[in-house]
Amino acid sequence: MQQRAPVLTLKLRGLRTGRTMERNVPGNQKLTLAEVDTREAQYLYSDGDLYYFMDTSTFDQHPLTTDRLGDALLYIKEQDQVELVLYKGDPISVELPTFVELRVEDTPPAVKGNTAQGSTKPAKLETGLDVQVPFFVNVGDAVRIDTRSGEYLERDSLEADFFLNDLWMRGEVSNLTRSAAGHFYFTLKDSASQVRCVMFRPAHGGEHLAEGGAVIAHGRVSLYEVRGDLQLIADLAQPEGVGELHLELERLKVKLEAEGLFQVSRKRPLPVFPKRIGVATSPTGAVWHDIQNIIRRRYPMVGDAAAGGIVDAFDALNAEDDIDLVILARGGGSLEDLWPFNEETVARAIYASRAPVISAVGHETDFTIADMVADCRAPTPSAAAELAAPDQDELLE
């Protein structure tokens, strides 16, 4: 008696449509695997239901829909490296690295010292993935996830790896290419070593990159698991020879600009008739006396002002209910002398000020981050005093 071939139930996915279906086929039927091509790619951004990936060799961008990506969206974020799968030249899906590192966004507080085997708690990651993690993991930690099982592999604290996220590298530029989208790909090298680098638009300093040129670049280290490449994802580049303070100033400008602290749309108009003006400056310097004399001469109706250290002064001024305007002022000096006005804490204090701020730091040619965040910049402290109050003679006329 002839034995019948077993029937197999297969779950198939259409390469062109992306739809999943089930088919019953005889067990002795010969099946042929579809020939697909893979390309190294990078996830750039999403636009509605489309997710864009860039072929890192040709710089071509390929859109994929949500149904094509499926659960892969739970493991990738912008700038991550993947393998783009193509069928007859058309992108159909992506292949993920064996594991990825994702930040914990929400989880119950950590239990210090708890290392009991098998003890876990729920956590939500930055991509929306829900996983079980050990009790010692906390919000802000980066955890390693197996993309095949969706399970936690090991703890990898962001604080422990902080030095890999804030690096400066010097070297000679080689193998420089620029994609149609405005991204730069290059190698930094010296006499003994080299490292691959990528600078994504809109990072600052791409105009300083030239084949054979010497630069210093700031960025973070990234590991592309599929190829085993270590690379620097740069967010800033400057010509070699620029001082460290200038480099730090440019880095902070990039950071604060991205957060919107310099946006013109958020700057407030100055009051026409201020009743009380606060001044944040040194109480012993000539600047304080110049501002007092000019405002008394131009607009004697205004009252007393508060003074003190920069951030403390803003705290004090914000506590006053009737401050209409704040002047932040200092006389001229070197970059080192004016550096407090380039500090991030001062920038955020200006941004959080309840009253509009006029920044008047240094001489006319000096320009600080305080000037960029303030609602109005004056070239000198004396000019700030004139901007702050109307002229009583003009008002009488």
Side-chain angles (χ1 to χ4, degrees), residues 41 54 56 85 107-108 118 138 150 186 193 209 223 245 257 269 303 307 309 365 371 373 389:
M54 182 183 65
T56 56
V85 182
T107 190
N138 214 336
F186 58 99
S193 58
L209 300 175
L223 179 65
L245 283 180
E257 182 179 19
T365 55
D371 298 323
V373 182

Side-chain angles (χ1 to χ4, degrees), residues 13-19 68 87-92:
R13 185 177 185 185
L15 292 177
R16 292 200 178 279
T17 64
R19 291 195 296 269
R68 288 284 188 177
Y87 176 66
K88 295 185 177 180
D90 295 328
I92 58 173

Side-chain angles (χ1 to χ4, degrees), residues 155-167:
R155 186 186 186 197
D156 190 5
S157 172
L158 287 180
E159 293 183 0
D161 284 344
F162 177 75
F163 72 98
L164 293 177
N165 296 315
D166 186 23
L167 284 178

Side-chain angles (χ1 to χ4, degrees), residues 6-7 100 123 140 167 213 229 237 273 281 283 327 343 372:
V7 176
V100 294
L167 284 178
D229 279 350
F273 301 109
T281 189
I327 297 175
E343 293 284 357
M372 301 172 73

Side-chain angles (χ1 to χ4, degrees), residues 46-59:
S46 63
D47 184 8
D49 190 44
L50 293 178
Y51 295 79
Y52 288 83
F53 296 81
M54 182 183 65
D55 186 323
T56 56
S57 59
T58 65
F59 309 121

Side-chain angles (χ1 to χ4, degrees), residues 276-278 304-306 317 320-326 354-356:
R276 197 161 186 236
I277 299 173
D304 294 332
L317 293 170
E320 298 284 338
D321 294 331
D322 55 351
I323 294 292
D324 301 312
L325 180 66
V326 174
R354 294 173 56 184

Side-chain angles (χ1 to χ4, degrees), residues 81-103:
Q81 305 283 346
V82 298
E83 287 280 335
L84 186 66
V85 182
L86 302 101
Y87 176 66
K88 295 185 177 180
D90 295 328
I92 58 173
S93 63
V94 296
E95 291 183 1
L96 301 173
T98 305
F99 63 85
V100 294
E101 291 181 356
L102 298 171
R103 188 191 303 264

